[in-house]
């Protein structure tokens, strides 16, 4: 007859094996990010998560003893609360990307920039452009605005490269308008709105904005702040390798938005360009 301690020991063994497997998978994933993408906030978060999981997998006994002490309990409670908050916002980001869907009755499509490789759209941006192209083909009366300025490591403005991409795929050049001055999601919408007003659309125009699903909630909030009364989301896909960095990063972006409402307040506006080796440290 087994003692009560034996089942508990078995559960701990299984949990430890799962932890070690997760540590190995995260380590391989993190190394892959080094060779497949630029340094950014999302990758940094993945590397920090990997380091934490790896350390716990190796030194779980002394770490558990420390968390059982007085100061350790306080730190443990704080970390648990932070993890629960982060997880809740992560679920919110994942679900909200598929709400407020496009209706097909919009007057214009606004495609948000997401970085170039020289003068060609990045993979993340191609997902957005391909989604916008499909929707534009299905709704030939809608204007299309491609929105994005020029980063330090980009050869041309994002909006121009995006316009060229859609025209090369077959869209009529007369219906594709390039916005090339924006440096943030806020400016994407503010400058795109002015272009559409200049083309004769009404103040209460309805638009559909195209971005990746993880970015849809925050993009919609900025669209409303820019004056679009009825913005709808058209979520694009994302590569498997980008899921974890993008969603982890977007949680921080959403929390920042809830606190400061705009990237021009708080600390981030002053730090743009300092915390990145290639592009902005924070997702646009």
């Amino acid at each position: 007859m087994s003692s009560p301690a034996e089942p508990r020991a078995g559960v701990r063994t299984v949990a430890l094996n799962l932890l070690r497997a997760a540590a190995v998978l995260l380590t391989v994933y993190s190394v892959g990010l080094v060779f497949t993408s630029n340094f950014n906030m999302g990758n940094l978060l993945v590397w920090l998560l990997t380091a934490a999981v790896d350390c716990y997998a190796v030194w779980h006994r002394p770490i558990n003893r420390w968390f059982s002490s007085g100061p350790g309990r306080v730190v443990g409670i704080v970390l648990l609360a932070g993890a629960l908050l982060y997880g809740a916002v992560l679920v919110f980001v994942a679900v909200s990307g598929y709400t407020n869907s496009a209706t097909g009755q919009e007057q214009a499509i606004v495609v948000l920039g997401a970085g170039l490789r020289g003068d060609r759209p990045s993979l993340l941006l191609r997902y957005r452009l391909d989604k916008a192209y499909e929707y534009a083909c299905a709704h030939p009366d809608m204007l299309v605005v491609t929105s994005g300025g020029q980063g330090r490591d980009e050869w041309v403005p994002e909006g121009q490269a995006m316009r060229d991409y859609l025209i090369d795929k077959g869209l009529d050049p007369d219906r594709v308008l390039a916005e090339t001055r924006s440096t943030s999601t806020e400016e994407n919408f503010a400058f795109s709105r002015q272009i559409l007003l200049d083309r004769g659309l009404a103040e209460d125009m309805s638009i559909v904005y195209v971005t990746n699903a993880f970015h849809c909630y925050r993009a919609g909030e900025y669209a409303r702040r820019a004056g679009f009364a009825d913005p709808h989301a058209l979520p694009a896909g994302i590569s498997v390798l980008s899921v974890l960095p993008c969603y982890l990063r977007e949680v921080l972006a959403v929390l920042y938005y809830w606190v400061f409402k705009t990237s021009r307040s708080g600390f981030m506006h002053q730090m743009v360009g300092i915390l990145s080796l290639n592009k902005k440290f924070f997702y646009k």
Side-chain angles (χ1 to χ4, degrees):
M1 186 174 184
S2 61
S3 66
E6 289 177 352
R8 289 196 296 270
V11 171
R12 286 196 295 269
T13 300
V14 172
L16 182 57
N17 289 335
L18 290 174
L19 177 65
R20 287 169 175 165
V24 171
L25 290 175
L26 279 172
T27 300
V28 172
Y29 184 84
S30 295
V31 172
L33 291 177
V34 174
F35 296 102
T36 59
S37 62
N38 293 335
F39 177 83
N40 57 53
M41 183 65 166
N43 289 354
L44 178 60
L45 290 171
V46 173
W47 294 331
L48 291 174
L49 175 63
T50 301
V53 173
D54 286 353
C55 288
Y56 188 74
V58 175
W59 295 295
H60 57 280
R61 287 190 178 88
I63 291 174
N64 286 341
R65 283 197 297 270
W66 186 79
F67 276 122
S68 297
S69 66
R73 287 195 188 94
V74 175
V75 173
I77 291 172
V78 172
L79 290 176
L80 178 60
L84 291 174
L85 173 62
Y86 209 100
V89 178
L90 185 63
V91 171
F92 172 79
V93 168
V95 173
S96 64
Y98 296 94
T99 60
N100 194 30
S101 300
T103 65
Q105 304 302 312
E106 300 86 7
Q107 297 165 279
I109 304 166
V110 177
V111 193
L112 304 183
L116 305 178
R117 298 293 179 263
D119 62 350
R120 303 296 298 171
S122 63
L123 177 60
L124 196 69
L125 183 52
R126 291 200 301 272
Y127 276 106
R128 300 181 184 186
L129 290 168
D130 291 341
K131 192 73 172 182
Y133 175 77
E134 294 174 4
Y135 198 74
C137 289
H139 303 87
D141 294 332
M142 293 185 189
L143 290 173
V144 181
V145 180
T146 55
S147 180
Q150 184 171 351
R152 293 175 314 183
D153 60 337
E154 296 172 344
W155 299 352
V156 297
E158 291 177 13
Q160 184 61 52
M162 294 160 67
R163 180 177 186 269
D164 293 342
Y165 182 92
L166 291 176
I167 292 173
D168 288 344
K169 283 180 71 72
L171 288 191
D172 183 351
D174 290 338
R175 63 183 296 215
V176 186
L177 315 173
E179 183 286 302
T180 60
R181 298 184 296 128
S182 57
T183 61
S184 68
T185 303
E186 294 171 87
E187 291 180 350
N188 285 148
F189 286 112
F191 298 160
S192 296
R193 178 174 169 79
Q194 188 58 53
I195 288 174
L196 292 170
L197 289 173
D198 292 344
R199 283 294 293 260
L201 271 68
E203 291 277 347
D204 61 349
M205 72 184 84
S206 176
I207 66 159
V208 56
Y209 58 89
V210 186
T211 187
N212 306 96
F214 66 87
H215 187 223
C216 281
Y217 163 74
R218 196 160 49 92
E221 293 301 304
Y222 283 134
R224 280 180 276 273
R225 290 179 63 87
F228 290 109
D230 190 28
H232 297 276
L234 186 62
I238 188 174
S239 68
V240 173
L241 195 61
S242 299
V243 169
L244 196 54
C246 287
Y247 276 87
L248 290 178
R249 177 176 56 184
E250 187 63 17
V251 169
L252 294 186
V254 168
L255 291 172
Y256 188 93
Y257 169 76
W258 285 343
V259 173
F260 297 107
K261 298 302 180 186
T262 170
S263 60
R264 297 192 177 279
S265 62
F267 60 87
M268 190 51 62
H269 185 64
Q270 290 73 28
M271 299 179 79
V272 167
I274 298 175
L275 299 178
S276 175
L277 298 180
N278 292 290
K279 294 283 293 177
K280 296 178 181 65
F281 194 67
F282 222 60
Y283 186 77
K284 289 202 322 177

